[in-house]
Amino acid sequence: MKEPPQENGVIQTTQDQHSSISPPSTVSGAPDDEPFSTYFEEKVPIPEDVTQMFSFRKLWAFTGPGFLMSIAYLDPGNIESDLQSGAKAGFKLLWVLLGATIIGLLLQRLAARLGVVTGMHLAEVCNRQYPTVPRIILWLMVELAIIGSDMQEVIGCAIAFNLLSVGRIPLWGGVLITIIDTFVFLFLDKYGLRKLEAFFGFLITIMAVSFGYEYVMVRPDQGELLKGMFLPYCEGCGPAQMEQAVGIVGAVIMPHNIYLHSALVKSRSIDRGNKKEVKEANKYYFIESTIALFISFLINVFVVAVFAEAFYEKTNIEVNAMCNASDSPHTDLFPLDNSRLQVDIYKGGVVLGCFFGPVALYIWAIGILAAGQSSTMTGTYSGQFVMEGFLNLRWSRFARVLLTRSIAIFPTLLVAIFQDVQHLTGMNDFLNVLQSMQLPFALIPILTFTSLTSIMNDFANGLVWKIGGGVVILVVCAINMHFVVVYVTSLSSVALYVLAGFLCIAYLCFVGYLVWHCLIALGVSCLDVSCLASRVSSNIPSVQCLKDRPTQMLAVHTTCWLSKNGGNSQGVRRFVVLNSFICFQRS
């Protein structure tokens, strides 16, 4: 099939052609035929197999992006959330982890479909669908989320180096090592995309073996584990357990991962003009993502179960006594009182070493190192995709990696220099809140654009996905906002309350703007004021105004734009906010 007509990023479709959005336009002065890529200069070919409804050869060809995406579910922030869940609530919150992983899978499905159907990732679509100011604000918010996640990942690697060296490598030294080796590993794709994906698979295997070893050694109660996983209850839970449940959802569903997955699926050779190929790609990507997230869920369960079985309801004095008996040098981490044990990634390794020997500590540190290193690399890719998509950058590979690494390196180094490895819990709480606040800036756009037939054509969300997706995103955002409110109210400072109030007003206004666009995309036509004006001037019936007839809508919109700008169509793509907005008012 021929590719559909495309011009400067403006959405165009025909009835016979499936693809519905153009590739990224070039920046001023750049040649039109310059390739646009971040890490996949090659595309993995898909084998032809027309005789089978399901082919393992094809599934293998599509395997890769889902496993890179799943690493965000295994980063040090998730591992810390897992061990705290086990230590505070035992097995009682495993059902929350299961539910959050399923919700994450559904959201990743939307991200993958957007990339497959349009040939563009979420940041690129945002660049073409939102006006300049909202687009820049959206980019800054997503960058904040990436920086927060990156800091946790780099600090996680540094803690692993500290544990493996028995404290000889300080936190700042571990940060520098992580940054240097990340640069080295990121250029593995020069040797082939499949080799890079295999390396990530190797890191996931290390995590599975490391945390699986801890699981087998502790031998948790399987009946309690299954009960906690499939019975949604939390008997005897208080505010601490409820806050931990909220933290699980916030740790599992990460905003930058939506942008990442929508870009990774572009690495396969798919004819977007062929509806059958696109449908097949969506199917195999969903199967691969399901397998990848199932494996990541099992690894998370290993961590929760280890700490639920061994350290649930343990007190500091009990742990102190065990560390004394095992001649651990970290006994002073646990005061001689009867308060409940509080653990993080660092203390988690220490208590494993006290109870199960130094081998358990070193294997734990190896698992944390694999989690931190892999998630740091995928976080860097996320930064590249987001920056290139929103700003349409055309830089060399080294310049892109250097910039995205530098954005997170300075705050991370400052934390590593001025914070002790034993006192990072407060910083992690702040970074979790930061990422929770950025969640709407990924979930709302992905639901908006995958619901528009003018962008997704036959693969747009149906009524069930629109309603279900809207409800899921509302619940997830509400849960995370509760986490933010709990954190802010614990600050006990009037000045911080006032500052939080002003920031909250600006934040809610921008979220409201995104929600307004999303509701119109979902079919709430009464909110589209500009549609009413164009309907009157063009004699378009009310119902037809929001029907997805891209060619007709584009003609009306372009006429409206040209009448305001003296026939200059060069900037049309910047102002196509949504195709349902016929004549967006902008001076």
Side-chain angles (χ1 to χ4, degrees):
M1 281 190 179
K2 293 182 180 179
E3 287 292 320
Q6 301 165 347
E7 180 180 357
N8 289 334
V10 179
I11 299 165
Q12 301 188 44
T13 59
T14 65
Q15 291 180 348
D16 297 328
Q17 289 168 321
H18 163 70
S19 184
S20 57
I21 196 166
S22 71
S25 63
T26 58
V27 293
S28 179
D32 290 342
D33 57 350
E34 182 181 351
F36 186 84
S37 68
T38 296
Y39 85 100
F40 31 71
E41 294 179 352
E42 62 170 306
K43 296 228 174 180
V44 176
I46 307 301
E48 293 290 337
D49 196 347
V50 295
T51 60
Q52 298 182 22
M53 293 184 61
F54 179 83
S55 167
F56 282 102
R57 289 178 64 237
K58 283 192 175 181
L59 179 60
W60 177 249
F62 281 106
T63 297
F67 281 88
L68 268 69
M69 168 273 296
S70 72
I71 286 171
Y73 292 72
L74 296 168
D75 71 346
N78 273 286
I79 301 302
E80 181 161 292
S81 174
D82 294 337
L83 65 89
Q84 289 175 345
S85 170
K88 290 181 180 179
F91 299 99
K92 298 175 185 176
L93 296 180
L94 277 174
W95 63 273
V96 178
L97 177 62
L98 176 62
T101 304
I102 293 173
I103 291 174
L105 173 63
L106 299 180
L107 295 174
Q108 299 298 160
R109 173 186 179 271
L110 295 181
R113 285 170 71 87
L114 180 71
V116 170
V117 174
T118 67
M120 299 171 66
H121 57 74
L122 181 55
E124 292 172 323
V125 178
C126 288
N127 180 38
R128 282 145 183 78
Q129 298 296 326
Y130 288 123
T132 303
V133 174
R135 184 174 70 247
I136 296 300
I137 295 174
L138 195 60
W139 167 62
L140 291 174
M141 294 298 100
V142 177
E143 285 290 352
L144 278 178
I146 293 174
I147 290 171
S149 174
D150 209 23
M151 288 179 68
Q152 286 182 313
E153 293 154 0
V154 173
I155 292 292
C157 283
I159 289 174
F161 282 121
N162 185 273
L163 288 171
L164 288 170
S165 65
V166 197
R168 293 186 181 89
I169 299 179
L171 200 61
W172 60 267
V175 168
L176 290 178
I177 294 173
T178 302
I179 291 168
I180 292 169
D181 63 26
T182 299
F183 271 107
V184 175
F185 292 143
L186 278 172
F187 287 92
L188 280 176
D189 59 299
K190 284 290 187 183
Y191 297 97
L193 177 58
R194 297 297 271 175
K195 291 183 176 66
L196 175 71
E197 292 173 346
F199 178 70
F200 279 102
F202 172 69
L203 292 177
I204 293 174
T205 303
I206 290 177
M207 284 184 267
V209 171
S210 300
F211 300 131
Y213 169 83
E214 309 281 2
Y215 180 86
V216 171
M217 183 179 56
V218 173
R219 292 162 59 183
D221 186 324
Q222 302 302 305
E224 287 296 315
L225 186 148
L226 293 173
K227 189 166 125 180
M229 189 181 298
F230 296 110
L231 292 181
Y233 81 112
C234 194
E235 184 180 351
C237 291
Q241 287 76 24
M242 292 299 101
E243 185 178 337
Q244 188 59 45
V246 172
I248 291 172
V249 178
V252 168
I253 303 172
M254 305 181 73
H256 70 274
N257 210 33
I258 305 295
Y259 288 87
L260 174 67
H261 198 196
S262 65
L264 293 173
V265 296
K266 294 168 58 179
S267 60
R268 267 51 183 176
S269 181
I270 301 168
D271 180 8
R272 292 190 300 113
N274 187 326
K275 182 176 176 180
K276 180 182 177 182
E277 279 195 29
V278 173
K279 185 176 181 179
E280 185 178 67
N282 285 330
K283 176 181 74 174
Y284 283 108
Y285 273 134
F286 182 68
I287 294 172
E288 185 234 2
S289 297
T290 303
I291 296 171
L293 289 188
F294 176 71
I295 293 173
S296 71
F297 173 71
L298 287 181
I299 295 173
N300 283 311
V301 168
F302 289 161
V303 178
V304 175
V306 166
F307 283 83
E309 182 70 28
F311 306 114
Y312 177 49
E313 295 187 330
K314 282 284 192 299
T315 61
N316 282 319
I317 195 168
E318 290 177 287
V319 177
N320 184 289
M322 284 297 298
C323 288
N324 259 327
S326 62
D327 295 325
S328 170
H330 306 289
T331 305
D332 57 337
L333 285 176
F334 311 101
L336 292 169
D337 57 41
N338 285 315
S339 59
R340 290 288 176 83
L341 174 66
Q342 300 291 325
V343 288
D344 51 29
I345 289 179
Y346 180 74
K347 290 182 181 178
V350 170
V351 295
L352 283 171
C354 291
F355 278 75
F356 302 102
V359 173
L361 186 152
Y362 291 128
I363 290 179
W364 169 263
I366 290 171
I368 295 299
L369 181 60
Q373 191 64 70
S374 58
S375 56
T376 300
M377 293 166 63
T378 54
T380 303
Y381 282 133
S382 299
Q384 293 182 55
F385 291 135
V386 165
M387 189 170 292
E388 290 170 358
F390 278 107
L391 304 183
N392 204 17
L393 294 181
R394 292 301 189 100
W395 292 2
S396 69
R397 177 186 300 270
F398 179 79
R400 293 193 307 254
V401 175
L402 182 63
L403 178 61
T404 50
R405 283 282 74 200
S406 300
I407 288 176
I409 182 175
F410 292 112
T412 308
L413 268 178
L414 288 175
V415 168
I417 292 170
F418 294 105
Q419 278 278 17
D420 193 290
V421 70
Q422 303 169 8
H423 301 93
L424 292 172
T425 302
M427 184 205 71
N428 279 324
D429 289 343
F430 171 75
L431 293 177
N432 286 334
V433 167
L434 179 67
Q435 293 175 80
S436 295
M437 291 185 67
Q438 313 312 318
L439 204 54
F441 306 126
L443 303 190
I444 296 175
I446 194 65
L447 180 62
T448 299
F449 299 131
T450 55
S451 297
L452 285 172
T453 307
S454 52
I455 290 178
M456 299 292 288
N457 209 337
D458 295 338
F459 295 93
N461 294 331
L463 182 62
V464 173
W465 270 98
K466 287 180 180 179
I467 296 175
V471 170
V472 164
I473 289 173
L474 179 64
V475 169
V476 170
C477 291
I479 289 173
N480 281 274
M481 287 305 103
H482 170 75
F483 183 58
V484 173
V485 170
V486 168
Y487 177 80
V488 171
T489 53
S490 68
L491 296 176
S492 302
S493 171
V494 176
L496 290 175
Y497 288 157
V498 173
L499 177 62
F502 282 114
L503 292 176
C504 183
I505 292 172
Y507 175 85
L508 291 177
C509 287
F510 186 58
V511 171
Y513 172 84
L514 297 177
V515 170
W516 173 50
H517 285 264
C518 185
L519 289 175
I520 293 174
L522 294 177
V524 186
S525 57
C526 60
L527 296 177
D528 191 357
V529 180
S530 59
C531 186
L532 178 62
S534 65
R535 188 172 71 233
V536 173
S537 61
S538 305
N539 295 321
I540 299 175
S542 175
V543 176
Q544 182 180 340
C545 185
L546 279 174
K547 291 288 185 183
D548 287 302
R549 298 184 181 180
T551 305
Q552 180 181 358
M553 294 291 101
L554 178 66
V556 175
H557 181 90
T558 305
T559 303
C560 176
W561 171 262
L562 293 176
S563 67
K564 289 186 176 182
N565 293 274
N568 179 17
S569 63
Q570 185 176 359
V572 170
R573 74 174 185 86
R574 295 278 183 185
F575 296 86
V576 183
V577 181
L578 294 172
N579 271 24
S580 58
F581 286 79
I582 304 303
C583 186
F584 189 82
Q585 301 296 322
R586 183 177 176 87
S587 59

